[in-house]
Amino acid sequence: KWRMRSDDCQLVGLMPHSSSRQAHLVLADGTVLTGEAFGHRGSVVGEVVFNTGMTGYQEVITDPSYAGQLVTFTYPELGNTGVNGDDQEAERPHAKGVIARQLAPQASNWRCSESLECWMDRHGLVGICGVDTRALVRRLRDGGAINGVISSDGRSPVDLLDEVRRAPSMEGLNLASQVSTKEPYEWSSPCRVSFDQRLKQRPDHPYRVVAIDFGIKQAILDRLVAHGCAVTVLPSNADLEMVMSHQPEGVFLSNGPGDPAAVDSGIDLARALLEISNLPLFGICLGHQILGLALGGSTFKLGYGHRGLNHPCGTSGQLEITSQNHGFALSADSLPETTVEVTHLNLNDRTVAAFQHRHQPVFGIQYHPEASPGPHDADHHFGRFVALMADRRNVGG
């Protein structure tokens, strides 16, 4: 480690780089990592987090739930398989920056249409590689997620530190409104990946589902369609009148970024929907947290979040290996026991992983059953949602 002129900054993990490709990662605590720029050249500020997945970097980078964040990948090399048009979770990247140990010199995959670096440059996504990501992850694991800046525009770390310390905390930010669709749209297309062998149903009369877009992933929409749903996607600020005008047989509350407690319109909508006692409601990730808040619970910020493909969740005797991406969680003690049952715990830290309403067809899960990327253990939750709508249809609801 080397000290800089400013007592606030500490240079870590220096590697030789040509000046034209030099980049800095500066954390709000004064830590500086110097590496090599890749992707777009520029400067970007966000919350520095880490993802432990060994695959799926394109899905992660395009997941709207990563809005406002600089993603550190623990897998040591990115770009091996390039990028393609099928693995996008949105039309553009939503992560603000990418931090990697090493960039693959050449992409090799039968589905590859472009290299990761060219794709990032085309979309204006800033990256830094050649840094010790293991040391960085240990810093985040021990000290918690922290704001940082990636810069390859030639500015000094001292100047960058001043910028990052002015950035707002993730707590209190309603980022869902920034990534949500502005206009309603229909989603009824089949899965984009032809070799996906998971369940596909085509009922004569698909179930009418309204999905509230807090940052929805396309893979979630694909799985809803695969389970027999015709989906109408509405903006995050949709109200009860807008939702019910589509005559839904079920309402889905999507994943998304930011602080769930700041999504006031979503919480208000969930409370109003809960007044319709026989309407199935299903929430994933941020949508799960919003449902919990509407039921009287509270949320808190995790130290460094859950972001990866290997989180065990379940109850005694049963578990699912799950894909996760969230920085906030529901407080188990805050959920009213008379109306809410916690059905799954994250077995790493015992936080709430899923719950269900004791008297209504309402449930939420903290993890991602669409598993894009990730294991398919939890895909049955989409079937559970469809079964609730089938029961309602059968009784004339």
Side-chain angles (χ1 to χ4, degrees):
K1 297 182 180 181
W2 293 265
R3 299 295 296 181
M4 299 184 63
R5 289 183 180 178
S6 168
D7 289 338
D8 285 330
C9 291
Q10 179 172 266
L11 200 58
V12 180
L14 261 179
M15 290 184 160
H17 298 285
S18 63
S19 59
S20 62
R21 290 185 62 88
Q22 188 178 78
H24 299 296
L25 170 64
V26 181
L27 305 184
D29 66 357
T31 300
V32 179
L33 283 81
T34 296
E36 188 168 298
F38 74 101
H40 183 71
R41 301 298 187 270
S43 179
V44 64
V45 177
E47 182 184 48
V48 182
V49 299
F50 65 90
N51 182 291
T52 61
M54 296 180 68
T55 185
Y57 55 80
Q58 185 179 356
E59 293 95 323
V60 167
I61 294 169
T62 56
D63 181 351
S65 294
Y66 281 102
Q69 295 178 326
L70 311 179
V71 184
T72 307
F73 287 90
T74 62
Y75 190 73
E77 186 170 72
L78 291 191
N80 306 69
T81 56
V83 297
N84 64 75
D86 292 329
D87 290 342
Q88 304 261 113
E89 293 299 341
E91 293 182 353
R92 61 179 178 84
H94 282 280
K96 294 189 74 175
V98 177
I99 304 165
R101 175 64 184 88
Q102 181 171 306
L103 184 67
Q106 182 174 349
S108 177
N109 185 268
W110 64 278
R111 299 168 66 214
C112 175
S113 60
E114 189 175 6
S115 73
L116 174 62
E117 180 162 26
C118 289
W119 179 83
M120 285 176 55
D121 188 32
R122 182 162 58 84
H123 285 284
L125 184 60
V126 175
I128 182 173
C129 63
V131 296
D132 189 343
T133 50
R134 290 179 299 177
L136 176 58
V137 169
R138 285 196 296 270
R139 159 64 187 84
L140 299 175
R141 183 192 62 199
D142 295 341
I146 187 173
N147 282 343
V149 55
I150 300 172
S151 179
S152 51
D153 60 9
R155 285 187 292 162
S156 73
V158 174
D159 292 338
L160 295 170
L161 179 62
D162 183 61
E163 179 180 0
V164 75
R165 285 183 171 171
R166 294 196 303 268
S169 166
M170 187 64 71
E171 289 186 88
L173 291 185
N174 178 4
L175 296 180
S177 61
Q178 298 180 23
V179 300
S180 176
T181 181
K182 304 305 178 187
E183 300 293 336
Y185 63 91
E186 307 293 325
W187 190 278
S188 57
S189 61
C191 179
R192 296 160 288 159
V193 181
S194 60
F195 53 82
D196 188 344
Q197 298 300 308
R198 285 177 292 178
L199 172 72
K200 300 178 181 68
Q201 296 180 351
R202 291 292 181 269
D204 293 335
H205 302 287
Y207 296 95
R208 299 185 305 276
V209 171
V210 165
I212 309 302
D213 177 13
F214 299 116
I216 199 165
K217 296 173 66 177
Q218 290 186 6
I220 289 177
L221 294 171
D222 285 343
R223 293 313 295 154
L224 286 169
V225 170
H227 279 265
C229 302
V231 186
T232 301
V233 183
L234 300 183
S236 64
N237 61 356
D239 58 19
L240 182 64
E241 182 180 2
M242 180 185 293
V243 170
M244 298 310 295
S245 70
H246 294 275
Q247 299 181 313
E249 295 178 274
V251 177
F252 173 75
L253 305 180
S254 87
N255 63 293
D259 187 342
V263 190
D264 295 330
S265 60
I267 299 168
D268 290 343
L269 173 61
R271 288 195 184 108
L273 290 168
L274 286 165
E275 295 297 319
I276 307 172
S277 60
N278 68 339
L279 182 64
L281 305 179
F282 176 25
I284 288 178
C285 202
L286 183 71
H288 152 93
Q289 296 162 2
I290 286 172
L291 266 181
L293 289 166
L295 286 163
S298 62
T299 55
F300 65 97
K301 194 174 190 304
L302 295 164
Y304 49 83
H306 299 158
R307 299 176 180 89
L309 316 182
N310 53 357
H311 288 258
C313 295
T315 52
S316 178
Q318 290 185 323
L319 65 87
E320 299 166 348
I321 301 301
T322 68
S323 176
Q324 300 202 10
N325 169 24
H326 61 107
F328 292 80
L330 282 169
S331 171
D333 294 340
S334 71
L335 294 168
E337 292 187 10
T338 55
T339 55
V340 178
E341 176 189 3
V342 175
T343 59
H344 295 67
L345 297 172
N346 185 307
L347 301 184
N348 287 331
D349 61 7
R350 313 296 291 181
T351 54
V352 177
F355 70 82
Q356 66 183 13
H357 199 287
R358 295 185 184 273
H359 314 297
Q360 295 177 222
V362 174
F363 70 104
I365 60 175
Q366 183 62 79
Y367 43 95
H368 283 260
E370 82 288 347
S372 182
H376 297 165
D377 295 21
D379 188 71
H380 65 89
H381 289 292
F382 291 109
R384 177 183 176 189
F385 183 43
V386 168
L388 292 174
M389 291 188 286
D391 289 345
R392 183 176 185 266
R393 182 183 282 185
N394 290 337
V395 299

